[in-house]
Amino acid sequence: MTCVFCCLSELDELEVPELLDPAAIFKMVCALPDFKAPGPDELPAEVIKAGGLALAQQIAQLFQRIIRLRRVPAAWRGGRLAKVYKGKGNAAECGNSRGLLIGGHLSKVLTGLLAPYVQRAACDILPEAQAG
């Protein structure tokens, strides 16, 4: 089975300067929704947005290091699991709620930037039809 980190090796062969461009990162940061629960890092999207382009340059350096080392920070690999009531039936019954994973905002930005490259690499690896 191929892991996502194996797909990151494809980044060596692709041109990715736009991935690490602070302007592109800032654009992704601005797209984060306001007033959403922060992830395990307790960093709200509004604080990241307030950092502007100066913070986006620092984030670009962080993302460069992540890609170079092929290591995602441990705190970004999961999140906080919250129980959310579906709105039907008895709220005390487990079947009437679902789990919602609340991840960090910076990990969402990195995921959004990497997604097209990982999808392109996955298309080369995975068969056209997947069962299940």
Side-chain angles (χ1 to χ4, degrees):
M1 180 173 186
T2 304
C3 69
V4 173
F5 295 107
C6 299
C7 295
L8 290 180
S9 64
E10 300 292 325
L11 293 175
D12 293 337
E13 300 162 14
L14 297 171
E15 292 182 27
V16 290
E18 69 277 2
L19 172 70
L20 304 173
D21 177 39
I25 291 172
F26 185 63
K27 184 177 178 183
M28 291 285 292
V29 166
C30 288
L32 292 171
D34 289 332
F35 309 112
K36 296 292 182 177
D41 57 6
E42 297 294 327
L43 191 59
E46 296 82 8
V47 171
I48 301 169
K49 290 178 182 182
L53 200 52
L55 182 57
Q57 291 170 341
Q58 297 298 314
I59 294 170
Q61 291 177 5
L62 173 64
F63 289 176
Q64 286 172 354
R65 182 179 169 99
I66 288 170
I67 290 170
R68 188 176 67 249
L69 298 176
R70 291 180 177 78
R71 285 273 200 229
V72 177
W76 291 8
R77 293 186 196 148
R80 190 172 56 227
L81 192 61
K83 184 178 171 183
V84 179
Y85 175 56
K86 291 181 181 178
K88 328 179 220 182
N90 184 355
E93 292 182 26
C94 290
N96 295 330
S97 63
R98 63 182 180 91
L100 178 68
L101 184 65
I102 302 171
H105 295 297
L106 286 179
S107 66
K108 292 175 189 175
V109 172
L110 180 62
T111 301
L113 291 169
L114 285 178
Y117 297 98
V118 173
Q119 287 172 347
R120 200 173 312 135
C123 287
D124 295 339
I125 297 168
L126 298 174
E128 193 171 314
Q130 288 288 306

